[in-house]
Each structure stands twice: as C-alpha cells, then as structure tokens.
Amino acid sequence: MNQAVNMTAQRIGQPGTGKKVMVSAQLVSTYNKLIDLSKKGDYWATYIVKEIGQLTSGVSRGKSVYVHEDFSIAGYKLYRMMLPGCVANIVETPSREYQIEALDIDFSFFEKQVDFKKPGLLFAKPKRTGGWNVSLIMDKEVRGTDGKAGRTGYVKPQSKNKEDWIIVGVADLNPSPHDAAREVAAHISASHFKSEISKLGFNLMYTPGEGSVGGWRLAEANNAQKSERIHESAQVLADVMVKAQKQRKPVAWVTQYGGSGVFTQALQIVRDRGVRLDSHTAFLSGATTNTDRAFVLCRDLGMHVSPDDSFAKNQVLSVRQALGGMALGWAPVKTMVRRLRSQKGYGLKQVTSDALGLFTNGKDVQGIGTAVTTMVAAFGAGPLYGVCGAIAASAPVISAVATNIPAFDRYPNLQAAIQNTDRKLW
C-alpha cells in the first residue's frame, strides 16, 4: 500500500538528503499552491513551506511546533504540526519516513491579519481626539502576489534615536485591537521603560479572542508553553522576536495581563530554534501566567534585565494574578532567589526593593482587617464622623473588590482602570 501511495505522492526536499518526507497524492495540488505563492514572494507562504521542509530533519518532540503525538500503533506515529494558518497531520512510518496525510491551510491568513481576525504585530498610533489607531505593520520592500501583501512581523522603532528601546506591548486576548492598545498602553506607561508612547505610539502584538490566558485556568497559567489556544499567536510572536534579533534591534517587551502567556510560549519556541535574544529585555505587568517560568526562559535566551529593574509586577489583591502569575507568591520569590544567585549587581538592596515594590497595592492587604473593623464599629455607633472615617478606612476593601472586576483587573492599577475603561464592569 505504501508503494502505491509513494508512486503518486510528491517528495519534499532533495532525494538523498535528510529524512524522506512525502505529501499524499490528494494534497499535492494544495501543497503546490503554497509553493507557487512562496515563489511569488508571499512571505506567509514562504514561512509555512520552510517550516514544513524542516521535517526532513525529523520530528523533535521537544520542539514547540509539534504540539503532541496523537497516537502510536504498530510502529506508526501520528503528529500534528501547528503553524500560523496551517495545521498538518503527519504520519511517521516504522522506517522513519514521514507522510503528510492532512493539510488544513487558510490561504486568507494574511487578509485576516489585516482585518484583525488573526494574530499579528500592529502599530498603535495615538489619535488627536483620544484613543488609538492600529494597523498591521508591513515591510514595504517586499510585496506579495496581489501587489499589496508585504512581509509582516518586523518591529517598528517609535523613536528616531537608535539608542532607545523599541517598545512592543504583548496583549492578552481581546476582541478589539483598539481596546487592546488602550489597555497595553496603560501597562507600558506604568513600567520602568521611559517612552512617550502617548505621542510616538508603540508596537502591539495583538491576539484576537475572548476571555484571558491563565488566571483561573491553573494548568494553563502554570504551563503556558503547552497551551494550544495561543499557539498560533505565539508562533507569530516568536517569528517577530527572531527577526528583531537578526537585525540586532534593542527591543523591550512589556506584557499585559494574559499576554504573559503568549510571550512565555513564544520564548519557548525561540529557544527550541536555538536563537538567543541578547539584544532584548522584558517586563511582565499584571501577569496571569507563571512569571518565574518566563524569567527562566529570558535568562536562558540571554535577555537583559537590569539589576535595578523588576522583572514583573502584580496586583496582589487580584485573584487571577495571585493564582496565575504569582503562583500564590512562590513565582516572584523564586525569581528573586535566582537573580540573587546568578545576576551580577543584584544584591540585598535590589531584592529588598523588589520585595517591597513587587505588589502595586500590597499596603492594602495590611489595611483590610482594620478597615472592616472600623466600618462595623462606625456604622454601629452611627455618628456622621464615624461613618466618614469608615469610608476613608475602607479604601483597601474598595480596592480589593475593584481589582477583581474584569474590566479593572486588566489594567496595572485602579487609577489607570478608572481613567481608561468605559466597558461594563462585569
């Protein structure tokens, strides 16, 4: 049976080099369409063809592009390969050859990126009237088959000064790129990267979708590298990272809320490719996935985090952030210990600063018990001055409640949330 298939199938790569990879007969026309687009300069098609071609080097189970082995029986193994706009089912035979038996390709992937229906790297520009204009970043030098589709995924400097960090915000899932830009901008402004984004704009890694990454989803929060629902976005982001590194661009990544999950998985993919990111740095703001896992990957990739800067900051009263991003406090503690042991210049002063400044509203924790007691006593007594005092003392309680309102929780602090949000509270 295999011989009959091979007589009508098409081989990928040059005979005699690497492992034998065959495209099943019924998929040859689809694969050749992809090849034709690649030859005409379509960047997305070229990327897919290149990744599929990597099969000639074999399937590496540790490589993130191969999500998992679906089954293994009688010496045959089935893998799923997931790429942006493409899912391939691959059978490994007992003779260690590969056959592509299913190929689901979205040939409108680029158009969907332009329409914000697929993950992509955008540039957010401030409007004079408030809010943000967003558009897919294009490389003008290379055009696709229709004369409009250029290469995507190249970071854009927001400043003419080459010494400035190129700011890239990594957003959580969001159905609106404009809302994503607003939320991410608040996190960038609250970070230690000094950039006039309100005037210059910033790069935005956008992932369309509802809900959030991590948080209450504890399995996803603790191991974002394995989350399939953000795999497409992480692949796009990893490609952006590699391109920026090849050009030696100084990139500062600032993640917003569940954007930390997309960022973490992208780092894993980059590490699997054997690329270092020693011209990059990062800051995780309000993360809802394990921050220490992200730190380990950043360290392994050679990313620079200044000894005087925090790597991550969370709202301690946010349940989603406390569970997902902080792992109930263990994640930031482990990161501080790792930095103490291995990072030059990170000493007692820095770890003390991190411990005190790690939580954006940590003082509220101390005040909650006092506030509740004061409110009960004051309202029981009844005098107006007592009630007013109770309201003032109840600020920590108000902060704790507000921090867990979804529309507020996605911002770096309560003040930013009140200034920016106009959506329903629940």
Side-chain angles (χ1 to χ4, degrees):
M1 186 177 97
N2 289 339
Q3 291 181 349
V5 172
N6 290 344
M7 286 176 63
T8 55
Q10 178 173 310
R11 181 165 184 166
I12 294 177
Q14 298 296 323
T17 59
K19 292 184 178 291
K20 190 175 182 179
V21 182
M22 305 298 298
V23 179
S24 297
Q26 66 270 24
L27 301 175
V28 169
S29 60
T30 300
Y31 181 72
N32 284 340
K33 182 179 178 181
L34 198 64
I35 293 290
D36 290 340
L37 288 174
S38 176
K39 290 179 178 178
K40 293 176 181 178
D42 187 295
Y43 181 75
W44 167 77
T46 301
Y47 174 76
I48 301 299
V49 169
K50 179 181 177 182
E51 288 297 323
I52 292 178
Q54 295 293 325
L55 284 170
T56 58
S57 299
V59 171
S60 171
R61 295 184 187 180
K63 196 173 182 182
S64 299
V65 68
Y66 306 105
V67 177
H68 60 260
E69 183 181 309
D70 279 354
F71 77 84
S72 178
I73 185 170
Y76 288 85
K77 297 177 182 178
L78 175 63
Y79 296 92
R80 272 191 308 141
M81 183 180 193
M82 299 183 68
L83 298 165
C86 175
V87 178
N89 287 346
I90 304 155
V91 175
E92 181 182 357
T93 69
S95 59
R96 304 304 181 193
E97 297 178 357
Y98 297 103
Q99 296 179 8
I100 300 177
E101 298 293 344
L103 200 56
D104 183 9
I105 299 178
D106 184 357
F107 285 100
S108 62
F109 182 80
F110 172 77
E111 286 74 16
K112 290 179 179 178
Q113 279 188 308
V114 175
D115 295 334
F116 314 124
K117 296 178 180 178
K118 285 288 185 180
L121 182 66
L122 316 180
F123 195 81
K125 289 184 178 180
K127 295 180 181 178
R128 291 183 178 179
T129 55
W132 299 87
N133 284 317
V134 293
S135 60
L136 187 69
I137 298 177
M138 308 275 286
D139 181 74
K140 298 180 180 178
E141 296 178 0
V142 179
R143 296 184 178 277
T145 55
D146 60 359
K148 298 179 181 179
R151 296 188 299 179
T152 60
Y154 287 84
V155 294
K156 180 179 179 179
Q158 74 277 355
S159 168
K160 293 182 179 180
N161 187 348
K162 295 183 179 180
E163 299 297 321
D164 289 345
W165 289 107
I166 298 174
I167 307 295
V168 184
V170 184
D172 190 11
L173 302 178
N174 203 309
S176 166
H178 302 92
D179 287 348
R182 180 175 55 186
E183 292 173 3
V184 171
H187 283 265
I188 295 174
S189 297
S191 73
H192 50 260
F193 296 108
K194 304 300 181 182
S195 177
E196 297 181 342
I197 61 168
S198 60
K199 297 179 181 178
L200 303 175
F202 62 96
N203 295 261
L204 172 67
M205 180 61 214
Y206 172 65
T207 304
E210 299 284 350
S212 182
V213 180
W216 292 105
R217 297 171 179 258
L218 297 183
E220 183 178 62
N222 190 52
N223 198 4
Q225 300 97 307
K226 299 295 183 181
S227 175
E228 290 192 27
R229 68 183 184 131
I230 59 172
H231 195 72
E232 188 171 62
S233 183
Q235 284 278 351
V236 172
L237 179 55
D239 189 50
V240 173
M241 292 175 168
V242 172
K243 290 174 185 172
Q245 178 64 27
K246 287 181 178 179
Q247 296 180 334
R248 302 299 299 173
K249 299 282 189 180
V251 181
W253 305 93
V254 179
T255 71
Q256 172 257 337
Y257 211 52
S260 58
V262 178
F263 179 70
T264 301
Q265 189 174 133
L267 292 177
Q268 181 69 56
I269 295 170
V270 172
R271 189 171 75 171
D272 290 342
R273 294 181 183 178
V275 178
R276 287 179 62 79
L277 300 177
D278 53 14
S279 65
H280 299 208
T281 187
F283 175 72
L284 276 56
S285 180
T288 54
T289 61
N290 193 297
T291 56
D292 185 60
R293 288 186 180 271
F295 175 79
V296 170
L297 286 166
C298 287
R299 181 196 63 187
D300 292 349
L301 291 168
M303 295 178 71
H304 175 73
V305 179
S306 172
D308 294 323
D309 292 333
S310 298
F311 175 72
K313 184 172 287 187
N314 287 90
Q315 296 193 73
V316 68
L317 299 180
S318 164
V319 177
R320 295 173 184 86
Q321 293 180 39
L323 288 175
M326 299 170 63
L328 294 177
W330 282 107
V333 170
K334 289 169 72 175
T335 297
M336 286 187 282
V337 171
R338 294 185 200 278
R339 297 184 74 178
L340 268 174
R341 290 177 175 176
S342 62
Q343 186 172 4
K344 186 178 180 180
Y346 189 85
L348 182 60
K349 176 184 176 182
Q350 286 74 20
V351 76
T352 302
S353 176
D354 267 355
L356 294 175
L358 185 64
F359 312 121
T360 58
N361 51 8
K363 292 181 180 179
D364 290 347
V365 177
Q366 302 174 359
I368 287 179
T370 303
V372 172
T373 303
T374 304
M375 289 179 70
V376 172
F379 279 98
L384 182 60
Y385 71 86
V387 175
C388 292
I391 293 175
S394 69
V397 177
I398 295 172
S399 178
V401 174
T403 298
N404 287 282
I405 297 174
F408 287 177
D409 198 12
R410 297 173 70 92
Y411 287 91
N413 50 60
L414 185 57
Q415 181 181 0
I418 294 173
Q419 290 175 344
N420 286 280
T421 189
D422 60 3
R423 67 175 69 182
K424 294 180 180 179
L425 297 184
W426 298 100

